[in-house]
Amino acid sequence: MQNSSLKKGLSKRHVFFIALGSAIGTGLFYGSAGAIKVAGPSVLLAYCISGVMAFMVMRALGEMVLHNPLPGSFGRYASNYMNPFSGFLTGWTYVFEMVLVCLADITAFATYMGFWFPEVSPWLWTLGITLVITGLNLTAVKIYGEMEFWLSVVKIGAIIAMIIAGFGIMLFGFGTATHEATGIHNLWSNGGFMPNGWEGFIASFSVVVFAFGGIEIIGLMAVEVKDADRNIPKAINAIPFRILFFYVATLAILMSLYPWNKIGLEGSPFVTIFESLGIKYAANILNIVVITAAISAINSDLYGAGRMLHGLAEDGHAPKKLNFVSKSGIPVLSVLAMFCVLVIGVVLNYFVHDKLFFLIAAMATFATVFVWLMILLSQVCMRLKMSKAEQKNLRYQIPFWPVGPIIAILFMIFIIVLLGFFEDTAPALIVGIIWIVLMLVCYFVMKRTGNEAKHADLK
């Protein structure tokens, strides 16, 4: 008999650090400069608002996960609480998102390694990291959790070091390389808190929201987490602290150290913090951190896509063979399917490495927001199908029901519409619409083929 059961191999320690590190990546270390350029200091408010909305998404997901933990998580919930097509669309859009982000991350990894080894062709680095991460994901889930734990420790440690260094420069005048007046006055100097007006502030949301993409992986881990009833809520409840500390506090210090309009003009803003302390190897230190962040992201992307493919197969929305699970609890064929897709990324890196990262990252924005929207809609539909008594007995309830989820849904729709108003993000919306149409065609072709097969069996 075919085995299809995932095993509980993730501990409280694994879940907590995966939750902390899931949204910390190149979006913070490099992407933050672009968000600051668009909105100035008001980007801090954009991060706060987007963080609250991301928290509402995770509370909606947490409510469903604790009520009914399922492989495939939000893909299965969309299917159960809305309709089969919604589950098909949500699951495959998440896989699409993870594929795009994973391709972007292996491309970024090759770029970072090129800093030290410029003579090595980028496609060799992408092939190497793809083989290593695939191999790790084919071992027990505990190995994945252990690797993510240590990678998250490095990322979190680096950010804490940057915050302490920033305070040191501001309070005690450590470092003499800044040549700029430091202090919180920089948050409202140089054009004010909102220097580019409301348009710049609103435009930053498409960049800021994407930075939080990946936190939904906590929902996919639920069926493999020991004592999920306690550990999943703790991981989700840590999200507001994570956003305030790792994003808002870090960028507030950064913009207090340097005028916002000078950040990112000379390399990474975080390199400048280290250089201001007289650390000669600042660029090398940051390169180690961003390589760690890229490896962590690739590892999580492959894990998340593999688990979602397994869930789609269980629901009949993907080839049944992808449902197979090894004796150690790994959806082997789903992981190998992702490996085959990443090989395409290796080939692309051979031909068009220089332009690949930004092209892929732009397309992933729509997928991230769309998946979040479907999670919120699934939770609302689940609630509407319950009696008041059943709703009252839910173990982990979303706050401010029903106003909170409604505001979060309107926010996600706003972000999707917003993509079409700016030249840089309009292609992402176009690709997203084409993707939905393609999925609609695939779903009805699949259903029609399935019905014809059933009729043939009956004859």
Coordinates of all heavy atoms in Angstrom, one line a residue, residues 399-455:
P399 N -8.6 37.6 15.6 CA -9.1 38.7 16.4 C -9.9 39.6 15.5 O -9.9 39.6 14.3 CB -7.8 39.5 16.8 CG -6.8 39.0 15.8 CD -7.1 37.6 15.3
F400 N -10.8 40.4 16.2 CA -11.7 41.4 15.6 C -12.6 40.8 14.5 O -12.9 41.5 13.5 CB -10.8 42.5 15.0 CG -9.8 43.1 15.9 CD1 -8.5 42.9 15.7 CD2 -10.2 43.7 17.1 CE1 -7.5 43.4 16.6 CE2 -9.3 44.2 18.0 CZ -7.9 44.1 17.7
W401 N -13.1 39.6 14.7 CA -14.0 39.0 13.7 C -15.4 39.8 13.8 O -15.8 40.0 14.9 CB -14.2 37.5 14.0 CG -15.4 36.9 13.3 CD1 -16.7 36.7 13.8 CD2 -15.4 36.4 11.9 NE1 -17.5 36.2 12.8 CE2 -16.7 36.0 11.7 CE3 -14.5 36.4 10.9 CZ2 -17.1 35.5 10.4 CZ3 -14.8 35.8 9.7 CH2 -16.1 35.4 9.5
P402 N -16.0 40.1 12.7 CA -15.6 39.8 11.3 C -14.9 41.1 10.6 O -14.5 41.0 9.5 CB -17.0 39.6 10.6 CG -17.9 40.5 11.3 CD -17.4 40.6 12.8
V403 N -14.8 42.2 11.4 CA -14.2 43.4 10.8 C -12.8 43.2 10.4 O -12.4 43.6 9.3 CB -14.3 44.6 11.8 CG1 -13.7 45.8 11.3 CG2 -15.8 44.8 12.2
G404 N -12.0 42.6 11.2 CA -10.5 42.4 10.9 C -10.3 41.7 9.6 O -9.6 42.2 8.7
P405 N -10.9 40.5 9.4 CA -10.7 39.8 8.1 C -11.2 40.6 6.9 O -10.6 40.6 5.8 CB -11.5 38.5 8.3 CG -11.6 38.3 9.7 CD -11.7 39.6 10.3
I406 N -12.3 41.3 7.1 CA -12.8 42.1 6.0 C -11.9 43.2 5.6 O -11.6 43.4 4.4 CB -14.2 42.7 6.3 CG1 -15.3 41.6 6.4 CG2 -14.7 43.8 5.3 CD1 -16.6 42.1 7.0
I407 N -11.3 43.9 6.5 CA -10.3 45.0 6.3 C -9.1 44.4 5.6 O -8.6 44.9 4.6 CB -9.9 45.7 7.6 CG1 -11.1 46.5 8.1 CG2 -8.7 46.6 7.3 CD1 -10.8 47.1 9.5
A408 N -8.6 43.2 6.0 CA -7.5 42.5 5.4 C -7.8 42.1 4.0 O -6.9 42.3 3.1 CB -7.1 41.3 6.3
I409 N -9.0 41.6 3.7 CA -9.3 41.2 2.4 C -9.3 42.5 1.4 O -8.8 42.4 0.3 CB -10.7 40.6 2.4 CG1 -10.7 39.2 3.0 CG2 -11.3 40.5 0.9 CD1 -12.0 38.5 3.3
L410 N -9.9 43.6 1.9 CA -9.9 44.8 1.1 C -8.5 45.3 0.9 O -8.2 45.8 -0.2 CB -10.7 45.9 1.8 CG -12.2 45.6 1.9 CD1 -12.9 46.7 2.8 CD2 -12.9 45.6 0.5
F411 N -7.6 45.1 1.8 CA -6.2 45.5 1.7 C -5.5 44.7 0.6 O -4.8 45.3 -0.2 CB -5.5 45.4 3.0 CG -4.0 45.7 3.0 CD1 -3.6 47.1 3.0 CD2 -3.0 44.8 2.8 CE1 -2.3 47.4 2.9 CE2 -1.7 45.1 2.8 CZ -1.3 46.4 2.8
M412 N -5.8 43.4 0.6 CA -5.1 42.6 -0.4 C -5.6 42.9 -1.8 O -4.9 42.9 -2.8 CB -5.4 41.1 -0.2 CG -4.9 40.6 1.2 SD -3.1 40.9 1.4 CE -2.9 40.9 3.1
I413 N -6.9 43.2 -2.0 CA -7.5 43.6 -3.3 C -6.9 44.9 -3.7 O -6.5 45.1 -4.9 CB -9.0 43.7 -3.2 CG1 -9.7 42.3 -2.9 CG2 -9.6 44.4 -4.4 CD1 -11.2 42.4 -2.6
F414 N -6.7 45.8 -2.7 CA -6.1 47.1 -3.0 C -4.6 46.9 -3.5 O -4.2 47.6 -4.5 CB -6.0 47.9 -1.7 CG -5.1 49.1 -1.7 CD1 -5.3 50.2 -2.4 CD2 -3.9 49.0 -0.9 CE1 -4.4 51.3 -2.4 CE2 -3.0 50.1 -0.9 CZ -3.2 51.2 -1.7
I415 N -3.9 46.0 -2.9 CA -2.5 45.8 -3.4 C -2.5 45.2 -4.8 O -1.7 45.6 -5.6 CB -1.8 44.8 -2.4 CG1 -1.6 45.4 -1.0 CG2 -0.4 44.4 -3.0 CD1 -0.8 46.7 -1.0
I416 N -3.4 44.3 -5.1 CA -3.5 43.7 -6.4 C -3.8 44.7 -7.5 O -3.2 44.8 -8.5 CB -4.5 42.5 -6.5 CG1 -4.0 41.3 -5.6 CG2 -4.8 42.1 -7.9 CD1 -5.0 40.2 -5.5
V417 N -4.8 45.6 -7.2 CA -5.1 46.7 -8.1 C -4.0 47.7 -8.2 O -3.7 48.2 -9.3 CB -6.4 47.4 -7.6 CG1 -6.7 48.6 -8.5 CG2 -7.6 46.5 -7.6
L418 N -3.3 47.9 -7.1 CA -2.2 48.9 -7.1 C -1.1 48.5 -8.1 O -0.5 49.4 -8.7 CB -1.6 49.0 -5.7 CG -0.5 50.0 -5.4 CD1 -1.1 51.4 -5.5 CD2 0.1 49.8 -4.0
L419 N -0.9 47.2 -8.2 CA 0.2 46.7 -9.2 C 0.0 47.3 -10.6 O 1.0 47.5 -11.3 CB 0.2 45.2 -9.2 CG 0.6 44.5 -7.9 CD1 0.5 43.0 -8.1 CD2 2.1 44.8 -7.6
G420 N -1.2 47.5 -11.0 CA -1.5 47.9 -12.3 C -1.3 49.4 -12.6 O -1.3 49.9 -13.7
F421 N -1.1 50.2 -11.5 CA -1.0 51.6 -11.6 C 0.4 52.2 -11.8 O 0.6 53.3 -12.0 CB -1.6 52.3 -10.4 CG -3.1 52.4 -10.5 CD1 -3.9 51.4 -10.0 CD2 -3.7 53.5 -11.0 CE1 -5.3 51.4 -10.0 CE2 -5.1 53.6 -11.1 CZ -5.9 52.5 -10.6
F422 N 1.4 51.3 -11.6 CA 2.8 51.7 -11.7 C 3.5 50.9 -12.8 O 3.4 49.7 -12.9 CB 3.5 51.6 -10.4 CG 2.9 52.4 -9.3 CD1 2.0 51.9 -8.4 CD2 3.2 53.8 -9.2 CE1 1.4 52.7 -7.4 CE2 2.7 54.6 -8.2 CZ 1.7 54.0 -7.3
E423 N 4.4 51.6 -13.6 CA 5.0 51.0 -14.7 C 5.9 49.8 -14.3 O 5.9 48.8 -15.1 CB 5.9 52.1 -15.4 CG 6.5 51.6 -16.7 CD 7.4 52.7 -17.3 OE1 7.3 53.9 -16.9 OE2 8.1 52.4 -18.3
D424 N 6.6 49.9 -13.2 CA 7.5 48.8 -12.8 C 6.7 47.5 -12.4 O 7.3 46.4 -12.5 CB 8.4 49.2 -11.6 CG 9.3 50.3 -12.1 OD1 9.6 50.4 -13.3 OD2 9.9 51.0 -11.2
T425 N 5.5 47.7 -11.8 CA 4.8 46.5 -11.3 C 3.6 46.0 -12.2 O 3.1 44.9 -12.0 CB 4.2 46.8 -9.9 OG1 3.4 48.0 -10.0 CG2 5.3 47.0 -8.9
A426 N 3.2 46.8 -13.2 CA 2.1 46.4 -14.1 C 2.4 45.1 -14.8 O 1.4 44.3 -14.9 CB 1.9 47.5 -15.2
P427 N 3.6 44.8 -15.2 CA 3.8 43.4 -15.8 C 3.5 42.3 -14.9 O 3.0 41.2 -15.3 CB 5.3 43.4 -16.2 CG 5.7 44.9 -16.4 CD 4.8 45.6 -15.4
A428 N 3.7 42.5 -13.6 CA 3.4 41.5 -12.6 C 1.9 41.2 -12.6 O 1.5 40.0 -12.4 CB 3.9 41.9 -11.2
L429 N 1.1 42.2 -12.7 CA -0.4 42.0 -12.7 C -0.8 41.3 -14.0 O -1.7 40.4 -13.9 CB -1.1 43.4 -12.6 CG -2.6 43.4 -12.6 CD1 -3.1 42.5 -11.4 CD2 -3.2 44.8 -12.5
I430 N -0.2 41.7 -15.1 CA -0.6 41.1 -16.4 C -0.2 39.6 -16.3 O -1.0 38.7 -16.7 CB 0.2 41.8 -17.5 CG1 -0.3 43.2 -17.7 CG2 0.0 41.0 -18.8 CD1 0.6 44.0 -18.6
V431 N 1.0 39.2 -15.8 CA 1.4 37.8 -15.7 C 0.4 37.1 -14.8 O 0.0 35.9 -15.0 CB 2.8 37.7 -15.2 CG1 3.2 36.3 -14.8 CG2 3.8 38.2 -16.2
G432 N 0.0 37.8 -13.7 CA -0.9 37.2 -12.7 C -2.3 36.8 -13.3 O -2.8 35.7 -13.1
I433 N -2.8 37.7 -14.1 CA -4.1 37.5 -14.8 C -4.0 36.4 -15.8 O -4.8 35.5 -15.9 CB -4.6 38.8 -15.5 CG1 -4.9 39.9 -14.4 CG2 -5.8 38.5 -16.4 CD1 -5.2 41.2 -15.0
I434 N -2.9 36.3 -16.6 CA -2.6 35.3 -17.5 C -2.5 33.9 -16.8 O -3.1 32.9 -17.2 CB -1.3 35.5 -18.3 CG1 -1.5 36.7 -19.2 CG2 -0.9 34.3 -19.1 CD1 -0.2 37.2 -19.9
W435 N -1.9 33.9 -15.6 CA -1.7 32.7 -14.8 C -3.1 32.2 -14.4 O -3.4 31.0 -14.5 CB -0.9 33.0 -13.6 CG -0.9 31.8 -12.6 CD1 -1.5 31.8 -11.4 CD2 -0.2 30.6 -12.7 NE1 -1.3 30.6 -10.8 CE2 -0.4 29.9 -11.5 CE3 0.7 30.1 -13.7 CZ2 0.1 28.6 -11.3 CZ3 1.2 28.8 -13.4 CH2 0.9 28.1 -12.3
I436 N -4.0 33.1 -13.9 CA -5.3 32.6 -13.4 C -6.1 32.0 -14.6 O -6.8 31.0 -14.5 CB -6.1 33.8 -12.8 CG1 -5.4 34.2 -11.5 CG2 -7.5 33.5 -12.6 CD1 -6.0 35.4 -10.8
V437 N -6.1 32.7 -15.8 CA -6.8 32.2 -16.9 C -6.2 30.8 -17.3 O -7.0 29.9 -17.6 CB -6.6 33.2 -18.1 CG1 -7.2 32.6 -19.4 CG2 -7.4 34.5 -17.8
L438 N -4.9 30.7 -17.3 CA -4.3 29.4 -17.6 C -4.7 28.3 -16.7 O -5.0 27.2 -17.1 CB -2.8 29.6 -17.6 CG -1.9 28.3 -17.9 CD1 -2.2 27.8 -19.3 CD2 -0.4 28.6 -17.6
M439 N -4.8 28.6 -15.4 CA -5.2 27.6 -14.4 C -6.7 27.3 -14.6 O -7.1 26.1 -14.4 CB -5.0 28.2 -13.0 CG -3.6 28.3 -12.5 SD -2.8 26.7 -12.3 CE -1.9 26.5 -13.8
L440 N -7.5 28.2 -15.0 CA -8.9 27.9 -15.2 C -9.1 26.9 -16.4 O -9.8 26.0 -16.3 CB -9.6 29.2 -15.6 CG -11.2 29.2 -15.7 CD1 -11.8 28.8 -14.4 CD2 -11.7 30.5 -16.2
V441 N -8.3 27.2 -17.4 CA -8.3 26.2 -18.6 C -7.8 24.9 -18.2 O -8.4 23.8 -18.5 CB -7.4 26.8 -19.7 CG1 -7.3 25.8 -20.9 CG2 -8.0 28.1 -20.3
C442 N -6.7 24.8 -17.4 CA -6.1 23.5 -17.0 C -7.1 22.8 -16.1 O -7.2 21.5 -16.3 CB -4.8 23.8 -16.2 SG -3.4 24.3 -17.2
Y443 N -7.8 23.5 -15.2 CA -8.7 22.8 -14.3 C -9.9 22.1 -15.1 O -10.2 21.0 -14.8 CB -9.3 23.8 -13.3 CG -10.3 23.2 -12.4 CD1 -9.8 22.4 -11.3 CD2 -11.7 23.4 -12.5 CE1 -10.8 21.9 -10.4 CE2 -12.6 22.9 -11.6 CZ -12.1 22.1 -10.6 OH -13.0 21.6 -9.7
F444 N -10.5 22.9 -16.1 CA -11.6 22.3 -16.8 C -11.2 21.2 -17.7 O -11.9 20.3 -18.0 CB -12.4 23.4 -17.5 CG -13.2 24.2 -16.6 CD1 -12.9 25.5 -16.2 CD2 -14.4 23.7 -16.1 CE1 -13.7 26.2 -15.3 CE2 -15.2 24.4 -15.2 CZ -14.8 25.7 -14.8
V445 N -10.0 21.3 -18.3 CA -9.4 20.2 -19.1 C -9.2 19.0 -18.3 O -9.6 17.9 -18.7 CB -8.1 20.7 -19.8 CG1 -7.4 19.5 -20.4 CG2 -8.4 21.7 -20.9
M446 N -8.7 19.2 -17.1 CA -8.4 18.1 -16.2 C -9.7 17.4 -15.8 O -9.8 16.2 -15.7 CB -7.7 18.6 -14.9 CG -7.3 17.5 -13.9 SD -6.7 18.2 -12.4 CE -8.2 18.9 -11.7
K447 N -10.8 18.2 -15.5 CA -12.1 17.7 -15.1 C -12.7 16.9 -16.2 O -13.2 15.8 -16.0 CB -13.0 18.8 -14.6 CG -12.8 19.3 -13.2 CD -14.0 20.0 -12.7 CE -15.2 19.1 -12.4 NZ -16.3 19.7 -11.8
R448 N -12.6 17.5 -17.4 CA -13.2 16.8 -18.6 C -12.5 15.5 -18.9 O -13.2 14.5 -19.1 CB -13.1 17.8 -19.8 CG -13.8 17.2 -21.0 CD -13.8 18.3 -22.1 NE -14.5 17.8 -23.3 CZ -14.6 18.4 -24.4 NH1 -14.2 19.7 -24.5 NH2 -15.2 17.9 -25.5
T449 N -11.2 15.5 -18.8 CA -10.4 14.3 -19.0 C -10.8 13.2 -18.0 O -10.9 12.1 -18.3 CB -8.9 14.6 -19.0 OG1 -8.6 15.6 -19.9 CG2 -8.1 13.3 -19.3
G450 N -10.9 13.7 -16.7 CA -11.3 12.8 -15.6 C -12.6 12.2 -15.8 O -12.9 11.0 -15.6
N451 N -13.6 13.0 -16.2 CA -15.0 12.5 -16.5 C -15.0 11.5 -17.6 O -15.7 10.5 -17.6 CB -15.9 13.7 -16.8 CG -16.2 14.5 -15.5 OD1 -16.0 14.0 -14.4 ND2 -16.5 15.8 -15.7
E452 N -14.3 11.8 -18.7 CA -14.2 10.9 -19.8 C -13.6 9.6 -19.5 O -14.1 8.5 -19.9 CB -13.4 11.5 -21.0 CG -14.1 12.7 -21.7 CD -13.3 13.4 -22.7 OE1 -12.1 13.0 -22.8 OE2 -13.8 14.3 -23.4
A453 N -12.6 9.6 -18.6 CA -12.0 8.4 -18.1 C -13.0 7.5 -17.3 O -13.0 6.3 -17.4 CB -10.7 8.7 -17.3
K454 N -13.8 8.2 -16.5 CA -14.8 7.5 -15.6 C -15.8 6.9 -16.5 O -16.2 5.7 -16.3 CB -15.4 8.5 -14.7 CG -14.5 8.9 -13.5 CD -15.2 9.9 -12.6 CE -14.4 10.3 -11.4 NZ -15.0 11.3 -10.5
H455 N -16.3 7.6 -17.5 CA -17.3 7.0 -18.4 C -16.7 5.8 -19.2 O -17.5 4.8 -19.4 CB -17.8 8.1 -19.4 CG -18.6 9.2 -18.8 ND1 -19.7 8.9 -18.0 CD2 -18.5 10.5 -18.9 CE1 -20.3 10.0 -17.6 NE2 -19.6 11.0 -18.1

